[in-house]
Amino acid sequence: MKPVKVAICGLGTVGGGVFNVLFRNASEISRRAGRPIVIEQVATRTPNPDCETSSVYMSQDVFDVIENPEIDIVVELIGGYDIAYDLVMKAIEAGKHVVTANKALIAVHGNEIFQAAREAGVVVAFEAAVAGGIPIIKSIREGLTANKIQWVAGIINGTGNYILTSMQEEGKTFEEALAEAQELGYAEADPTFDVEGIDAAHKLTILSAIAFGVPLSFENVYTEGISRITIDDIQQADSLGYVIKHLGITRRTEEGLELRVHPTLIPKERLLANVNGVKNAVMVSGDAVGPTLYYGAGAGAEPTASSVIADLVDVARAMGVDQASRVPYLAFADQSYDLPVLPMEEIETAYYLRLLAVDRPGVLARVATILSEQGISIEAIVQRDSIEGELVPIILLTHVTKEAAMNEVIRQIESLADIAGGVMRIRVESLNDQ
Amino acid sequence: MKPVKVAICGLGTVGGGVFNVLFRNASEISRRAGRPIVIEQVATRTPNPDCETSSVYMSQDVFDVIENPEIDIVVELIGGYDIAYDLVMKAIEAGKHVVTANKALIAVHGNEIFQAAREAGVVVAFEAAVAGGIPIIKSIREGLTANKIQWVAGIINGTGNYILTSMQEEGKTFEEALAEAQELGYAEADPTFDVEGIDAAHKLTILSAIAFGVPLSFENVYTEGISRITIDDIQQADSLGYVIKHLGITRRTEEGLELRVHPTLIPKERLLANVNGVKNAVMVSGDAVGPTLYYGAGAGAEPTASSVIADLVDVARAMGVDQASRVPYLAFADQSYDLPVLPMEEIETAYYLRLLAVDRPGVLARVATILSEQGISIEAIVQRDSIEGELVPIILLTHVTKEAAMNEVIRQIESLADIAGGVMRIRVESLNDQ
């Protein structure tokens, strides 16, 4: 069959990986795709020293590829919203298929992009936007089509997981672990997107849409980062049998959809609790299949390239196919709005609370009474031996309750005269994988 | 779009699961597939009390479905080789697409079946044949198309894993654990296929073909079961930092393909080492993506149904598509024979050896000399405190060496006067997942 001709826009880490893997594994890829996938053009302002581009048509302006009639598929690897958005929309308008690794773009502008793509009859593929090299979009969108998905929970930000692992295993503080991640190139100079959960929220938005058939709604994700987690929390969790992971969680309940990113205590024996360093893993539970888990590299040049190229092969196959026989962009033929996203106050989960109390008789009783008045059962209380004159840390594990009730509990505890400072609250999920 | 009409042949555990999930999740499945998937006929000799079949056309003879012009897809869930083989070949001949969960059929007759399907222009899908509900065929065949796959290693027989987990966690003997698995319905009355590794060999055959683009060659799988594993082995492995799992392993080396099923010591900290009970998990390592892992239920009515129905949705999409735009049956447009399957003697791996020695000075030295003469380094030797007059167990862990050299070592050790009985040999794999 005729070769498929692609343009790579952006030759940074991921672009370079796609370029190199497409060359290195050309024969393997061609045997799988049934036709060669050739790089017809590369558009970048910054050459990549890892790529031997002398035999390829290079241009500086990414919008050149739109004008190139030879190009079948535009591979958007620029990142960000501005140029990337324009490029993708213009490519669609020009009747070209698009492959992108841009989670922010899909999470924020995806509904509009897929609408335009549907009208233009082109494919927009985005496997690399979530969990790097793990074929999680394909697994949910095509592998679990029989299921009513119940929940999805994942470690979907490698930087955050690297930091938490480093705190857990080496006793580093958050700041030390972050600095180390930056030195190793795992974290950006401005780490906000990673450590404050925005990157994970982008990815969770996409996972939720394809799991439940709802539109992308990034604006509704509750997002909490890991910068407030202390070594003390990690050690307390450890002694209670838990590990702290930064998770994206989306769940379908009768009331609506949960959509939340936050640090989470999970039992040590879970597979997810043993996913360390920059690795990602996503659990998906369906009513027929039960819990499943997908693990691998969540970032990096070649793992991400693996997903981009898998998309290229899929698009190569879908090119000659009418729209009705293609896999829907977001897994469902229609994205239905019938399930509201629940406000965080409506979520039900268990909690870990850490408070600092003045060491006076009756503090524990007052805290326990506040919980009891809100109808919340306590699973464990740990009060450290007190040192005279010092504040005593108290750790509480509760049973499942509504976030609104917990907010009220925390408000009341913080107003107690015997309590110093704020209450540290971390949610606890069982995430059964058996 | 027009509904796709399917015939379910065989209404046992899996057939019943497919029947029930297709009804229960009909609206979800239809929203994903873009068209309804309806059960037009069920052919079975044995009604399934879990299925409400009164509204469905039932027949006794599975070959009836071939004659039914309404049927688009024949779902073969009979199992075994005889009738299943005839049914699948006749369905293909009649121009019907086929979905099957029959690993034995695909592993043994797949080359012939796919050749016939190619000529007839129909799809034969088999996701449910390997690892139950885990979308492992799709992940390798479509999700990792960018990669030269390096190796695949998996816990792909739930019964065997249940037995080993039960021995590990509850200190049961193999016989006790097997009896328990039979009581719980996890093992057949004749457990040979599961505990002797034949079922795993069927699945490994399929995984190897789609990973490496080679023809199915079940006859070349080295197969060793778990019935010789003792509690002592499990405890010795544990104290050395390992867990014993029954793995299917296929690896591409420069010399050829490894294709082997056997008990394996793997380091405790690996995710695979923590996959317990009847669950399955498959690791796939590719040159671009690195190691990935897929976990979930490896058997059972609804998990297996999940994969069968995912295939139905895929086939529904592929029906209106020309053959060149479909995913190749075995992942590659052509199955090339350029890589020979290595005989077991050519495999390189590390080893655990357990021997019983007469407690006389010099035994260890003689054993160590035999290893040294074959150029094999020893990683660990454990000799238990001896009890007067009793034989002493000696445990050895070696570095990586060729199986042929190890065979010679074992022959020589067994011929020593100080050694009682045979040498227990279990292979050791590091299976790095980082």
Side-chain angles (χ1 to χ4, degrees), chain B residues 51-267:
Chain B
C51 299
E52 169 43 45
T53 54
S54 59
S55 65
V56 175
Y57 169 39
M58 304 289 291
S59 70
Q60 298 250 323
D61 183 356
V62 292
F63 293 97
D64 278 0
V65 308
I66 310 292
E67 314 298 326
N68 185 341
E70 292 293 312
I71 302 298
D72 300 305
I73 310 174
V74 172
V75 185
E76 184 281 298
L77 301 171
I78 309 166
Y81 305 94
D82 302 335
I83 302 176
Y85 173 82
D86 287 343
L87 176 67
V88 166
M89 292 304 277
K90 288 215 164 92
I92 291 169
E93 213 174 286
K96 296 185 189 301
H97 304 284
V98 173
V99 171
T100 176
N102 192 330
K103 55 223 91 173
L105 181 68
I106 297 296
V108 175
H109 297 293
N111 294 324
E112 182 192 351
I113 288 169
F114 296 130
Q115 180 58 32
R118 195 173 290 115
E119 285 162 15
V122 300
V123 181
V124 174
F126 53 94
E127 179 66 78
V130 182
I134 307 170
I136 187 64
I137 301 292
K138 181 173 285 285
S139 294
I140 298 177
R141 211 170 63 157
E142 303 175 42
L144 301 178
T145 44
N147 293 268
K148 280 203 181 74
I149 306 286
Q150 298 158 323
W151 52 267
V152 179
I155 296 170
I156 46 181
N157 180 276
T159 309
N161 201 45
Y162 181 86
I163 291 171
L164 288 176
T165 303
S166 176
M167 290 173 74
Q168 169 99 30
E169 292 184 353
E170 295 168 41
K172 290 202 162 74
T173 63
F174 170 79
E175 289 74 18
E176 288 165 351
L178 170 60
E180 185 192 46
Q182 285 171 321
E183 268 168 47
L184 290 166
Y186 296 149
E188 310 278 334
D190 175 359
T192 312
F193 260 48
D194 289 323
V195 302
E196 295 308 340
I198 301 158
D199 175 75
H202 285 143
K203 294 165 179 167
L204 185 70
T205 301
I206 298 171
L207 290 174
S208 186
I210 63 168
F212 302 120
V214 294
L216 296 154
S217 63
F218 172 65
E219 64 282 8
N220 288 317
V221 184
Y222 172 84
T223 306
E224 193 181 304
I226 57 171
S227 53
R228 290 172 59 235
I229 303 289
T230 65
I231 298 185
D232 195 37
D233 294 318
I234 286 175
Q235 287 167 348
Q236 294 288 353
D238 183 75
S239 66
L240 290 160
Y242 292 86
V243 173
I244 301 179
K245 291 291 184 188
H246 195 210
L247 297 186
I249 300 174
T250 180
R251 181 183 271 125
R252 166 149 68 182
T253 74
E254 302 215 336
E255 287 73 39
L257 279 193
E258 299 181 7
L259 199 54
R260 48 193 172 105
V261 170
H262 52 68
T264 314
L265 269 72
I266 52 179

Side-chain angles (χ1 to χ4, degrees), chain A residues 394-405:
Chain A
I394 298 174
I395 308 297
L396 287 155
L397 272 189
T398 77
H399 284 278
V400 171
T401 185
K402 208 163 247 190
E403 178 102 354

Side-chain angles (χ1 to χ4, degrees), chain B residues 16-32:
Chain B
V18 171
F19 185 94
N20 288 334
V21 175
L22 270 177
F23 269 98
R24 186 175 77 229
N25 291 350
S27 120
E28 191 101 355
I29 293 165
S30 169
R31 276 183 67 206
R32 290 178 184 265

Side-chain angles (χ1 to χ4, degrees), chain A residues 31 138 142 293 295 333 433, chain B residues 31 138 142 293 295 333 433:
Chain A
R31 275 183 67 206
K138 182 174 283 288
E142 303 174 41
L293 178 140
Y295 164 88
D433 56 21
Chain B
R31 276 183 67 206
K138 181 173 285 285
E142 303 175 42
L293 179 140
Y295 164 88
D433 56 23

